[in-house]
Amino acid sequence: MPDESITEQATLKYSLDDEEKEHGQPPLAEPGGGVSLVVRSGGGRAGEIFTPAGKETSIGRSPDSDVFLDDITVSRNHALLVRKADGYYIQDQGSLNGTYVNRVRVETQKLYDGDQLQIGKYKLTYIER
């Protein structure tokens, strides 16, 4: 059987208790105005900023995702960031490892400035400016 690329493999099971011990947090990047997701840890991408565009922003391991998180603990189509009239919501898309907001697993959750998201081994901060 030929080697499969990471994007074709099954999602690896991951739990919050599997977190790596970190030696200090990287400084929080300062996004521009509007809404941003800032990677705090995971995959060597700390400080990277994603700015949602449009009504829905896809998050996952699929290279077609708006927020591409290339790790086996992230499902191909893991979550959506959805803009509604009253703010932004995170919606899990049936991922194996779930989507967490402030360490609580959620299906759909309204986001507030400073909320901490966990998607696979990635930790992100939701920022409104």
Side-chain angles (χ1 to χ4, degrees):
M1 185 163 126
D3 289 336
E4 294 180 290
S5 71
I6 292 288
T7 58
E8 294 174 0
Q9 294 177 353
T11 303
L12 181 69
K13 183 73 175 147
Y14 181 80
S15 73
L16 291 176
D17 295 331
D18 292 338
E19 296 175 15
E20 298 174 13
K21 300 283 186 215
E22 294 185 38
H23 302 287
Q25 289 283 347
L28 184 61
E30 283 299 321
V35 169
S36 299
L37 289 176
V38 178
V39 178
R40 295 302 309 257
S41 66
R45 297 174 64 182
E48 200 167 328
I49 299 171
F50 296 96
T51 303
K55 185 176 179 182
E56 294 183 347
T57 301
S58 60
I59 303 169
R61 195 176 75 231
S62 169
D64 296 330
S65 296
D66 299 316
V67 178
F68 175 53
L69 301 176
D70 190 15
D71 185 80
I72 197 117
T73 62
V74 178
S75 295
R76 286 176 196 78
N77 299 304
H78 199 104
L80 281 177
L81 184 64
V82 179
R83 185 181 69 209
K84 295 185 179 183
D86 64 337
Y88 279 86
Y89 289 75
I90 190 78
Q91 294 179 346
D92 187 78
Q93 298 294 290
S95 66
L96 174 65
N97 290 313
T99 299
Y100 292 79
V101 176
N102 301 323
R103 299 188 61 83
V104 176
R105 189 170 182 158
V106 300
E107 294 300 317
T108 299
Q109 175 73 42
K110 183 174 183 190
L111 297 175
Y112 296 93
D113 187 40
D115 278 348
Q116 302 298 308
L117 282 73
Q118 176 129 9
I119 296 175
K121 72 177 186 179
Y122 288 88
K123 294 179 185 169
L124 304 101
T125 301
Y126 173 80
I127 298 177
E128 295 177 351
R129 295 284 186 254

